[in-house]
Amino acid sequence: MKKTLNVLGCRTVHEVKKVAEYMMPGTKEVFYLHRENVQPQIVIRPAFEVFIDKLGSIDGVMPKKNYYHNADMSRFPNRLHGGKTEVHYGIAFEFANSQAVESFINEIVSIVHGS
């Protein structure tokens, strides 16, 4: 997936053991790539929730049901999630193949640009 993101022009901003912070091509929109599962996930800001049906209708794109929480997603908003302190959260997606990743990134960029 990292290769596909690089080919699309997504830039790595920051990386820790299991989480990489990226910028969408041609924007300042941040997303995170989580590699802790068998299938990597891309996590986007919760503000995109209004587009979840549109993004989930892309062939090979599978939105996760619940918000994804991770302390390493420092540019995302916080909320309580079962603990005493708030944690960063976003919307996670899994992908069937690199074409699905490409279509997903292109759609997010289109949304950001208001197309």
Side-chain angles (χ1 to χ4, degrees):
M1 187 177 294
K2 286 176 77 172
K3 181 180 177 185
T4 300
L5 293 173
N6 289 335
V7 167
L8 291 170
C10 298
R11 294 178 293 126
T12 307
V13 177
H14 178 73
E15 198 164 351
V16 292
K17 187 175 180 183
K18 296 179 182 180
V19 179
E21 181 180 306
Y22 281 85
M23 289 262 191
M24 296 277 178
T27 73
K28 293 188 183 222
E29 184 62 42
V30 172
F31 69 94
Y32 292 91
L33 174 63
H34 288 264
R35 300 177 301 264
E36 61 191 15
N37 298 331
V38 173
Q39 195 162 359
Q41 299 180 44
I42 288 178
V43 183
I44 59 175
R45 288 184 304 121
F48 286 101
E49 189 168 29
V50 296
F51 300 103
I52 199 162
D53 290 337
K54 184 176 188 178
L55 295 168
S57 70
I58 298 170
D59 191 37
V61 176
M62 298 156 282
K64 305 302 277 184
K65 287 188 178 189
N66 299 317
Y67 288 123
Y68 186 92
H69 296 79
N70 189 296
D72 292 322
M73 300 189 309
S74 60
R75 293 198 193 200
F76 282 10
N78 296 322
R79 72 182 213 134
L80 283 176
H81 177 65
K84 293 181 180 181
T85 59
E86 293 184 338
V87 66
H88 302 290
Y89 73 105
I91 305 166
F93 293 84
E94 289 183 349
F95 303 88
N97 52 47
S98 59
Q99 179 59 47
V101 173
E102 182 176 345
S103 298
F104 178 83
I105 296 295
N106 289 336
E107 185 62 36
I108 293 283
V109 170
S110 176
I111 291 168
V112 170
H113 286 302
S115 304

